[in-house]
């Protein structure tokens, strides 16, 4: 019998899930990646097929979910996560946050596994407190277009705490702020793939609203490190993991133009409903509890990400 710890990663073929698969394989774990491939893509984990200790299961985690043998850890990362995706498939978004979370918590209880749930800064909604600390309860419109995602994530956190308190399941909750890096989908509608795709194709960059809204972008390797540390920590209450370096979307568009050297114009489109006006993580708890803070600044992270998107857009690696 293998003595490696075994981890189930739901959403394992997605952007974050696939980077987590890489990290856990590197750390010597047995990894079961599970995905229904609605928004995930096997290309993200193709390099892991045939690697010792890695298996992939095509399964929708909103249905009864079981993994043979022992299981030490579960990371629940299955969910549409971009506004375009969850507006297109709102019911699946609600189901994976609610029913999917219920299934993985039940599996964790059965196996005696520790489970880490991927929550998000969306639980803070359009925040009235800045930067956002974990004890802020948020400002969410349940019946707006983003409600399907925000409320799924809030329900998910409540369900997780109930399993912890009632059944004694070992649970961890990470609140993920905007994260970027290789393997984001060009067409997922998020601001970074949108701007990089537009710049590389010589199209105008579409800034929604006047571009004064802010975000704080974290490079994926930093996020994965924070999640890895949180999983192995004793912290049950939610922990923000993100990069506090905050910029306006207008400034971000200008950065992408400078980086790519594109001559594109910036044009404005309508601001989507309930688009948060400001967002910045307070990472005091992550620093204190996990000894974690981001190491990769935006200029370095964007360079690395641009290499990935150049290949996606032009089909071949460019120098
Ligand atoms: N945004 C934009 N142009 C685009 C896509 C997004 O100006 O083509 C804006 C969007 O309105 C939001 C910010 O960029 O204010 C980040 O959007 P994203 O969808 O990446 O994630 P969010 O943080 O809103 O979930």
């Amino acid at each position: 019998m293998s003595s490696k710890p075994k981890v189930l990663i739901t959403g394992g073929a997605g952007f974050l899930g696939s980077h987590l698969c890489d990290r856990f394989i590197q750390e010597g774990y047995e990894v079961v990646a599970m995905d229904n491939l609605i928004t995930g893509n096997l290309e993200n984990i193709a390099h892991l097929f045939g690697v010792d200790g890695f298996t992939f299961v095509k399964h929708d985690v909103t249905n009864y979910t079981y993994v043979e043998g022992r299981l030490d850890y579960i990371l629940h990362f299955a969910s549409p996560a971009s506004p375009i995706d969850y507006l297109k498939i709102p019911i699946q978004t609600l189901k994976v946050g609610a029913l999917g979370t219920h299934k993985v918590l039940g599996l964790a209880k059965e196996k005696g596994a520790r489970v880490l749930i991927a929550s998000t800064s969306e639980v803070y909604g359009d925040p009235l407190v800045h930067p956002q600390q974990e004890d802020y309860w948020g400002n969410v419109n349940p019946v707006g277009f983003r409600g399907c995602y925000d409320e799924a994530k809030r329900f998910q956190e409540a369900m997780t705490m109930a399993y912890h308190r009632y059944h004694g399941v070992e649970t961890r909750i990470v609140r993920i702020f905007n994260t970027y890096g290789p393997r984001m989908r060009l067409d997922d509608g998020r601001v970074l793939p949108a701007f990089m795709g537009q710049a590389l194709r010589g199209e105008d960059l579409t800034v929604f609203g006047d571009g004064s809204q802010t975000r704080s972008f974290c490079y994926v390797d930093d996020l994965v490190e924070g999640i890895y540390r949180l999983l192995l920590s004793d912290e049950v209450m939610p922990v923000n993991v993100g990069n506090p370096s905050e910029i306006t979307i207008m400034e971000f568009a200008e950065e992408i133009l400078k980086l790519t050297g594109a001559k594109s114009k910036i044009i404005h489109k309508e601001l989507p409903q309930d688009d948060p006006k400001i967002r910045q993580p307070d990472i005091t708890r992550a620093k204190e509890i996990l000894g974690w803070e981001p190491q990769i600044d935006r200029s370095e992270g964007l360079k690395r990400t641009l290499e990935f998107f150049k290949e996606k857009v032009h089909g071949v690696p460019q120098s």
Side-chain angles (χ1 to χ4, degrees), residues 81-83 86 122 146 178 189-192 194-195 198 206-208 213 215 217 249 271-272 275-276 279:
S82 81
Y86 55 73
E122 290 289 329
R146 298 176 86 106
N178 293 70
R190 284 175 174 138
V191 68
L192 184 138
F195 286 175
Q198 289 160 348
T206 52
V207 167
F208 296 166
Q213 68 273 34
R215 294 295 185 272
F217 296 97
I249 294 303
L271 190 67
D275 197 286
R279 184 183 286 156

Side-chain angles (χ1 to χ4, degrees), residues 27-310:
E27 298 285 345
Y29 289 61
E30 215 179 298
V31 173
V32 180
M34 184 176 279
D35 207 298
N36 65 358
L37 302 177
I38 290 192
T39 55
N41 186 343
L42 287 182
E43 238 180 67
N44 291 336
I45 48 171
H47 58 286
L48 292 174
F49 284 91
V51 169
D52 190 34
F54 181 78
T55 38
F56 173 72
V57 184
K58 184 168 185 293
H59 178 71
D60 181 342
V61 70
T62 64
N63 297 320
Y64 177 75
T65 295
Y66 195 73
V67 172
E68 287 297 333
R70 85 196 148 72
L71 195 56
D72 303 293
Y73 300 103
I74 304 176
L75 300 171
H76 185 36
F77 276 69
S79 178
S82 81
I84 290 245
D85 286 342
Y86 55 73
L87 298 189
K88 226 185 297 171
I89 44 174
I91 297 168
Q92 283 95 332
T93 303
L94 280 154
K95 282 174 72 178
V96 76
L99 306 182
T101 301
H102 187 215
K103 298 292 184 284
V104 299
L105 287 165
L107 181 61
K109 173 168 151 269
E110 167 69 23
K111 299 282 185 179
R114 179 180 295 179
V115 57
L116 183 145
I117 299 291
S119 185
T120 154
S121 53
E122 290 289 329
V123 301
Y124 303 122
D126 188 4
L128 305 176
V129 165
H130 196 70
Q132 293 78 56
Q133 291 173 339
E134 290 88 344
D135 59 5
Y136 176 50
W137 294 348
N139 176 39
V140 169
N141 174 5
V143 295
F145 286 111
R146 298 176 86 106
C148 60
Y149 187 60
D150 300 9
E151 295 297 356
K153 291 295 181 184
R154 290 168 69 93
F155 177 90
Q156 178 183 56
E157 290 196 5
M159 176 73 96
T160 301
M161 292 310 295
Y163 263 72
H164 174 70
R165 293 189 176 117
Y166 188 74
H167 288 304
V169 172
E170 281 191 51
T171 56
R172 308 286 179 266
I173 299 174
V174 59
R175 288 190 182 148
I176 299 169
F177 283 66
N178 293 70
T179 300
Y180 69 98
R183 301 187 196 155
M184 292 185 98
R185 267 180 24 234
L186 247 186
D187 66 346
D188 83 356
R190 284 175 174 138
V191 68
L192 184 138
F195 286 175
M196 276 200 180
Q198 289 160 348
L200 290 170
R201 291 187 299 261
E203 296 167 8
D204 295 340
L205 268 59
T206 52
V207 167
F208 296 166
D210 64 5
S212 63
Q213 68 273 34
T214 69
R215 294 295 185 272
S216 308
F217 296 97
C218 182
Y219 189 67
V220 63
D221 290 1
D222 280 332
L223 184 90
V224 165
E225 178 64 29
I227 289 169
Y228 189 73
R229 290 188 190 201
L230 177 59
L231 178 72
L232 301 183
S233 79
D234 293 329
E235 184 57 41
V236 170
M237 297 308 283
V239 179
N240 289 339
V241 176
N243 190 324
S245 166
E246 181 185 18
I247 52 166
T248 67
I249 294 303
M250 196 63 183
E251 287 164 341
F252 192 55
E254 279 155 8
E255 271 189 16
I256 302 277
L257 286 181
K258 196 159 162 221
L259 176 71
T260 56
K263 301 277 171 275
S264 312
K265 289 199 304 290
I266 292 174
I267 59 167
H268 294 268
K269 291 206 162 173
E270 199 182 335
L271 190 67
Q273 184 192 32
D274 299 332
D275 197 286
K277 286 181 270 312
I278 41 175
R279 184 183 286 156
Q280 184 192 33
D282 182 320
I283 58 166
T284 309
R285 295 188 77 238
K287 281 186 188 162
E288 282 172 9
I289 297 166
L290 312 176
W292 174 89
E293 63 183 311
Q295 303 296 319
I296 300 165
D297 65 19
R298 207 167 49 246
S299 65
E300 174 59 26
L302 287 180
K303 263 190 241 154
R304 295 189 198 178
T305 310
L306 182 62
E307 289 313 304
F308 171 81
F309 280 116
K310 274 184 182 169

